Amino acid sequence: MKLKVKITGPKVHDVGYRPFLTEIAMSLGLRGFEVYNDEEDGGQVVVAIAEGDEQRIGKFSSTAKMNYPQLAIVDGLKSEYYGGEVMPLWQF
């Protein structure tokens, strides 16, 4: 299963979001994972793409929705199924 998660807010860059999400992915033993900063409509976005079995992806999604770095200011989190390639976690 592959999932794309987009986290938006006025302060989601430069607060440790990428290492935070990478640590979650590693602790769950996901097969594939990548994360990057982006911009959308002039706002900050963090995009994470994860691959793993349904249970682990569900846990990743719920953990990302309930927790975030202390300095982050989050407006929203959207997730959707992803059909593209995902980098193996060990390469990330």
Side-chain angles (χ1 to χ4, degrees):
M1 176 178 201
K2 299 176 187 176
L3 187 71
K4 181 177 187 178
V5 177
K6 292 172 73 174
I7 302 160
T8 59
K11 189 64 177 165
V12 294
H13 292 178
D14 302 319
V15 294
Y17 233 122
R18 290 175 294 155
F20 176 79
L21 294 173
T22 301
E23 187 174 315
I24 295 168
M26 291 177 71
S27 72
L28 292 171
L30 297 181
R31 284 192 301 262
F33 181 76
E34 51 192 279
V35 63
Y36 57 90
N37 288 341
D38 203 357
E39 290 187 14
E40 189 174 277
D41 300 325
Q44 296 182 0
V45 180
V46 174
V47 179
I49 303 170
E51 180 178 8
D53 62 52
E54 189 173 342
Q55 181 179 3
R56 291 171 198 236
I57 290 296
K59 181 71 173 167
F60 176 81
S61 179
S62 65
T63 302
K65 286 178 185 175
M66 295 186 303
N67 302 291
Y68 48 88
Q70 185 176 10
L71 298 175
I73 301 171
V74 178
D75 285 343
L77 185 146
K78 296 180 185 177
S79 59
E80 61 187 29
Y81 292 105
Y82 182 72
E85 294 294 317
V86 182
M87 180 184 303
L89 179 59
W90 64 269
Q91 285 184 333
F92 184 77

